[in-house]
Amino acid sequence: MCGIVGFAGVRQAAPILLEGLKRLEYRGYDSAGLAVQSDGKIVVSKARGRLSALCKLTHDGADIDGTVGIGHTRWATHGEPSYINSHPHMSHDGAVCVVHNGIIENYLALRAFLEAQGYEFVSDTDTEIISQLLAYCYEGDPVEAVKRARGYLEGSYALGILFRDRPEAIYAVSKDNPLIVGLGEGENYMASDVTAILKHTRRVFRLNEGEMAVITKDCVSVTDEYGMGVDKTVTEVTWDADAAEKGGYEHFMIKEILEQPEVIQKTANPRIVDGRIDMGLKRITREDLRGVDNICIVACGSAYHVGCVAKPILKRLCRLPVSVELASEFKYADPLVDARTLVIVISQSGETIDTYHALKEAAARGARIVSVVNVVGSTIAAASEDVIYTWAGPEIAVATTKAYSAQLIVLYMLAMYIGRIRETATREQERELIAELNALPAAVARALNDKEGVQYLASLYYSSKDVFFIGRNIDYALALEGSLKLKEISYIHSEAYAAGELKHGTISLVEQGTLVIALCTYAPLKDKLVSNIKEVKSRGANVIALANEGDEDIAQVADHVIYIPRWGQTTMPSLAIIPLQLFAYYVASLKGCDVDKPRNLAKSVTVE
Ligand code: AGP
């Protein structure tokens, strides 16, 4: 989704802004632009398409002179991807220039209001409203203008603003959309995402709702909504900048897939203390967990699929009713959560607006909230009662792999932790899980070793038009993720079905040559899956089965079998997902797709 970067210093701003925007490319975008204070005016340069077009246009920024500026990568929401609609947006008089992440919900009313005052608009965006509104509110004091303009705006926003009259400063504000300020030596930064500025500084803080930062080369001052000074606590980012580099791999996605053994270890190990699982919750007490009478998981996309895998595990270990809800539906569905509900919020980015709104809704209804988040200090982490971090490191590819795996680990452990406290899980089960977790990184590494086998299958089927993933119980939850992975990066139509549901309609779509990927790793229902494979085979499907080592009978019914190490039932999904991730990756690569930045998608979805 859109990305913002800003720089105030003594060096030339444009090349630094372009470099920062490059780091934000992974978020997904369709146009890019920058604005620099230059000799008493604001110079704007923007281009549709990839950032390379803007680099070419500005000769890598060399054409634009100036040391203070803002940049943006746009993911279209209001108006098509085009030169006119791309950011930055200037007010009609050239006095104010804005980059914006988020959505202004009352922009039509504001536009009508401003047009009535004689303001002329050139774009279809909601963002142009903001620059015009700021010009309308401006009477010589930028801080006052921003304060006044905010009073009119409804919706969500992170804004970087330049005022022509204040060539030394960037003004930054945010509401329900992340903005980070970075502190350097004789230069300062702002960005929507720390990766954009990590090369220059690790000292950052986050702007809270209602706060405004005025950023110049020498100083950053922050005030609250009443204009009172705020003392921000500066955080030192511990991420290794190299972790956000490709490190010799062709794509971030394959690098991240291969990092999974290490990520699993980093996520699990700190939570195994003296042979017991301890999730390190700070506010939700053991007593609270004993008092809970149901669990509700809310999340989007792959994080939702983690919830689907976790549901039967939580039920089994905690003996509680568990629901898994799509965060985008949750708020509008009059959810049945209250003070006796533990809501588990799952999000890699910690910025997904639907998930954040679901969290707020659940909190308003009194639920206890623990979030499982990858990005430290993100909006969802900050708004939760307790946070369990997945130590996956920066995930750059839009298609999640290592964060998904880290989330699974947290969920297995959280289920056991709650189960032990409620005495519905035994000490023996806890020991078994710990043993599985300790051995899991090596087993995942083994599953990854077979990547050439998966690559070969991808080479046979990469031109498929439709693919069906089928499975039962946990295999069905994994099928959902396998199918999403394939469709989002390869653009092949694919669907996941509970295998038993096929005969209730979908099997009519199976014809000669249809590819069916059958997940048969859930041992109690393996035989049922064998029957389902026979059903689709007899209608002409080609079947790739995913099975446990030793299940040789599957090879009698399927065309191809990918074997995964035979494993304990609880953590088996961590192995079964590996070939599905690899298959999607190799299919997309063979098709020549933009694997890390699939069309129309964004890494961090900050609009509803
Ligand atoms: C998965 O590959 C997707 N890119 C997407 O479904 C993602 O999982 C979803 O948007 C949720 O994101 P979050 O984990 O950052 O909240």
Side-chain angles (χ1 to χ4, degrees):
M1 208 127 286
C2 307
I4 289 178
V5 64
F7 171 78
V10 287
R11 294 190 281 162
Q12 287 295 305
I16 294 171
L17 296 173
L18 286 170
E19 192 206 345
L21 292 179
K22 194 148 193 49
R23 308 270 165 182
L24 296 178
E25 277 190 298
Y26 78 95
R27 293 166 67 103
Y29 71 106
D30 43 53
S31 55
L34 45 86
V36 175
Q37 294 276 12
S38 187
D39 271 343
K41 57 182 194 306
I42 300 170
V43 174
V44 173
S45 189
K46 43 195 196 178
R48 198 199 144 155
R50 289 299 181 206
L51 193 58
S52 51
L54 183 63
C55 293
K56 200 166 161 203
L57 185 73
T58 60
H59 294 99
D60 290 324
D63 288 357
I64 306 173
D65 184 40
T67 61
V68 175
I70 49 180
H72 191 262
T73 45
R74 174 175 188 252
W75 186 85
T77 57
H78 294 60
E80 56 167 9
S82 67
Y83 172 83
I84 289 290
N85 288 335
S86 51
H87 301 211
H89 284 281
M90 192 81 102
S91 61
H92 71 303
D93 57 359
V96 188
C97 190
V98 169
V99 288
H100 167 220
N101 285 1
I103 286 182
I104 302 305
E105 284 162 5
N106 58 339
Y107 84 105
L108 285 174
L110 289 174
R111 183 169 174 147
F113 168 74
L114 289 164
E115 278 173 342
Q117 316 295 313
Y119 286 74
E120 282 171 21
F121 286 79
V122 294
S123 79
D124 304 319
T125 65
D126 51 341
T127 303
E128 194 186 358
I129 297 296
I130 307 172
S131 50
Q132 303 278 32
L133 181 66
L134 281 162
Y136 170 78
C137 295
Y138 184 53
E139 288 170 354
D141 181 349
V143 171
E144 271 311 308
V146 174
K147 263 168 66 185
R148 276 188 62 204
R150 288 183 88 171
Y152 289 92
L153 297 175
E154 286 169 19
S156 64
Y157 49 83
L159 300 175
I161 309 163
L162 298 179
F163 284 84
R164 187 182 50 202
D165 296 355
R166 302 296 161 102
E168 73 290 353
I170 304 169
Y171 298 80
V173 283
S174 79
K175 178 175 174 254
D176 285 352
N177 233 292
L179 253 195
I180 283 147
V181 174
L183 306 176
E185 297 297 327
E187 54 190 37
N188 293 305
Y189 307 83
M190 60 169 283
S192 50
D193 180 331
V194 76
T195 33
I197 55 175
L198 208 52
K199 187 173 169 203
H200 306 286
T201 181
R202 289 169 173 278
R203 297 174 56 235
V204 300
F205 65 81
R206 187 190 171 81
L207 271 193
N208 292 331
E209 200 166 320
E211 293 176 344
M212 181 191 320
V214 182
I215 303 163
T216 65
K217 70 179 170 49
D218 299 317
C219 124
V220 175
S221 64
V222 180
T223 46
D224 66 14
E225 58 192 306
Y226 308 107
M228 302 299 287
V230 180
D231 228 354
K232 299 295 288 184
T233 309
V234 176
T235 308
E236 190 80 25
V237 179
T238 53
W239 280 2
D240 182 355
D242 294 345
E245 303 282 349
K246 271 193 225 156
Y249 291 97
E250 197 181 343
H251 298 107
F252 279 109
M253 185 174 174
I254 189 68
K255 173 178 177 262
E256 290 163 1
I257 288 174
L258 296 173
E259 279 170 6
Q260 290 178 108
E262 191 194 338
V263 162
I264 289 171
Q265 198 167 27
K266 279 192 181 157
T267 303
N269 278 7
R271 282 137 189 160
I272 302 172
V273 183
D274 297 334
R276 290 183 188 269
I277 290 174
D278 184 347
M279 300 313 286
L281 299 185
K282 298 206 167 57
R283 299 205 184 94
I284 300 176
T285 64
R286 299 169 76 84
E287 209 40 54
D288 292 335
L289 292 173
R290 278 191 205 103
V292 155
D293 68 11
N294 72 97
I295 295 175
C296 173
I297 302 174
V298 288
C300 295
S302 296
Y304 169 80
H305 297 157
V306 168
C308 296
V309 173
K311 177 177 169 167
I313 300 173
L314 279 157
K315 263 167 71 183
R316 177 163 57 85
L317 295 175
C318 308
R319 307 308 304 157
L320 284 171
V322 182
S323 56
V324 190
E325 307 284 345
L326 287 167
S328 52
E329 294 286 326
F330 184 81
K331 178 173 153 188
Y332 306 104
D334 193 10
L336 286 175
V337 299
D338 58 26
R340 291 174 73 86
T341 309
L342 177 69
V343 170
I344 304 175
V345 177
I346 311 175
S347 175
Q348 185 285 129
S349 61
E351 302 297 349
T352 304
I353 201 86
D354 288 324
T355 310
Y356 175 64
H357 285 167
L359 183 162
K360 296 266 252 199
E361 180 68 31
R365 290 170 186 249
R368 313 307 304 265
I369 316 265
V370 58
S371 63
V372 179
V373 171
N374 194 40
V375 178
V376 175
S378 52
T379 306
I380 288 173
S384 303
E385 226 177 325
D386 255 307
V387 189
I388 305 173
Y389 284 112
T390 47
W391 299 118
E395 190 177 62
I396 306 295
V398 164
T400 180
T401 53
K402 63 175 181 171
Y404 171 92
S405 284
Q407 288 162 354
L408 283 181
I409 299 297
V410 167
L411 267 293
Y412 308 143
M413 297 181 87
L414 184 59
M416 183 59 76
Y417 179 70
I418 300 171
R420 288 293 292 137
I421 289 171
R422 298 174 61 86
E423 296 178 15
T424 46
T426 64
R427 174 75 183 121
E428 193 40 41
Q429 284 175 308
E430 185 179 23
R431 281 203 197 96
E432 272 169 25
L433 176 60
I434 291 174
E436 274 182 46
L437 289 169
N438 285 336
L440 195 58
V444 170
R446 261 179 71 201
L448 286 166
N449 274 343
D450 188 28
K451 58 182 186 315
E452 280 74 23
V454 180
Q455 189 172 19
Y456 168 69
L457 292 176
S459 75
L460 298 182
Y461 293 107
Y462 74 94
S463 49
S464 299
K465 291 273 170 289
D466 303 287
V467 180
F468 295 99
F469 288 75
I470 59 171
R472 287 170 181 256
N473 194 278
I474 284 185
D475 278 335
Y476 170 52
L478 287 163
L480 290 167
E481 178 61 6
S483 168
L484 175 64
K485 216 78 311 175
L486 183 68
K487 76 179 90 167
E488 71 179 326
I489 59 169
S490 74
Y491 317 140
I492 293 176
H493 167 250
S494 91
E495 302 293 341
Y497 283 95
E501 280 296 296
L502 272 180
K503 57 186 175 294
H504 297 292
T506 310
I507 201 159
S508 65
L509 295 173
V510 175
E511 54 187 20
Q512 202 60 38
T514 304
L515 178 59
V516 175
I517 300 186
L519 283 74
C520 319
T521 69
Y522 183 64
L525 294 175
K526 188 199 84 181
D527 293 342
K528 300 266 180 223
L529 243 293
V530 168
S531 305
N532 296 131
I533 293 176
K534 286 182 182 159
E535 284 162 15
V536 293
K537 273 300 309 165
S538 59
R539 281 148 183 99
N542 294 322
V543 176
I544 300 177
L546 189 62
N548 296 314
E549 271 171 0
D551 283 347
E552 303 302 336
D553 50 333
I554 304 279
Q556 313 296 315
V557 288
D559 297 279
H560 317 273
V561 187
I562 302 171
Y563 285 106
I564 55 167
R566 187 166 281 280
W567 205 249
Q569 204 58 66
T570 307
T571 62
M572 177 277 296
S574 295
L575 293 178
I577 196 63
I578 301 293
L580 303 183
Q581 296 171 341
L582 288 169
F583 185 74
Y585 172 73
Y586 286 123
V587 166
S589 312
L590 285 162
K591 287 188 73 182
C593 298
D594 193 348
V595 174
D596 288 334
K597 292 173 285 205
R599 70 184 180 206
N600 305 340
L601 294 181
K603 184 67 181 164
S604 174
V605 185
T606 49
V607 292
E608 246 192 286

